Amino acid sequence: FQAEDGIRDLRMSRGLGDVYKRQVDDAADVDYTQVPATLDALFDKHDKEGGVRPTTITPSAVWRKKFQKALLAQPSEKSLGKDDLRSEKNKAFDLLDALSKSGALAFENVQLHIVILHTHCFDKSLLHTVTRDNVNPIEKVERTQLLIASIVHGVKPADMIRENQRARLQEFNEDVLTIEN
């Protein structure tokens, strides 16, 4: 399957945009906690302008919980502070742990969702970058997408590109396309 930007999608995607839902093979042995450090190293080496910055998601301190006390009861809503949120999360993990260890719940067709955020920064305004510096920001974004996708999928960036897009991407990303995983 192929995305509109010319980068091949190695497995079927049921998501939209940059959020891909992947099924993890039974034999897969990937430590996703190492993805940020690996990406930082790749960006240090291949982002010549230093324009890619990590982006942090900061969730709200107060969450809203919608629930029903009984099957036919009216829905209720409750605000959860830090302690309530921790308690609810622990309850969910305890239930999941009990069901999985008891054998009552089989984990088949499990998916792992990874959200990777990054921001492209330019020294000047976007308009100035495009018109005066003659820099196409889309090329920078494509370069970043190739780097991220190669780490998440464990595939060489060159193997993820359609043949009809190879020459165009090669012009601005030659060093990225020669990366071996």
Side-chain angles (χ1 to χ4, degrees), residues 65-114:
K65 175 186 174 185
K66 295 180 182 180
F67 61 97
Q68 287 180 244
K69 292 184 179 183
L71 185 61
L72 299 175
Q74 292 294 322
S76 300
E77 193 170 313
K78 175 182 174 185
S79 293
L80 299 176
K82 186 177 180 180
D83 293 334
D84 293 330
L85 187 59
R86 181 180 297 116
S87 174
E88 291 294 325
K89 184 172 70 172
N90 287 340
K91 287 179 193 176
F93 281 126
D94 288 345
L95 178 61
L96 187 61
D97 194 37
L99 290 172
S100 63
K101 287 184 178 177
S102 71
L105 181 63
F107 292 105
E108 296 175 9
N109 300 317
V110 176
Q111 298 177 347
L112 172 65
H113 300 257
I114 299 175

Side-chain angles (χ1 to χ4, degrees), residues 24 27-39 112 114 151-152 154:
V24 180
D29 188 23
V30 179
D31 183 1
Y32 287 105
T33 63
Q34 296 302 311
V35 169
T38 306
L39 284 173
L112 172 65
I114 299 175
I151 295 302
V152 171

Side-chain angles (χ1 to χ4, degrees), residues 42 44-45 107 141 158:
L42 269 180
D44 287 345
K45 184 174 181 179
F107 292 105
V141 173

Side-chain angles (χ1 to χ4, degrees), residues 120-130 132-135:
H120 283 268
C121 301
F122 298 95
D123 291 334
K124 303 167 188 142
S125 72
L126 182 60
L127 186 59
H128 188 271
T129 301
V130 172
R132 293 187 184 168
D133 295 344
N134 197 26
V135 172

Side-chain angles (χ1 to χ4, degrees), residues 130-170:
V130 172
T131 57
R132 293 187 184 168
D133 295 344
N134 197 26
V135 172
N136 184 350
I138 294 172
E139 294 162 359
K140 305 299 181 191
V141 173
E142 286 177 332
R143 175 187 202 85
T144 303
Q145 287 178 327
L146 279 170
L147 291 171
I148 291 172
S150 71
I151 295 302
V152 171
H153 297 294
V155 178
K156 296 185 290 188
D159 292 345
M160 299 172 56
I161 300 172
R162 293 183 196 168
E163 272 311 311
N164 65 350
Q165 298 292 322
R166 188 170 300 282
R168 181 183 64 80
L169 290 170
Q170 184 86 27

Side-chain angles (χ1 to χ4, degrees), residues 53-68:
R53 302 281 189 269
T55 305
T56 303
I57 298 174
T58 306
S60 172
V62 177
W63 288 45
R64 310 280 307 156
K65 175 186 174 185
K66 295 180 182 180
F67 61 97
Q68 287 180 244

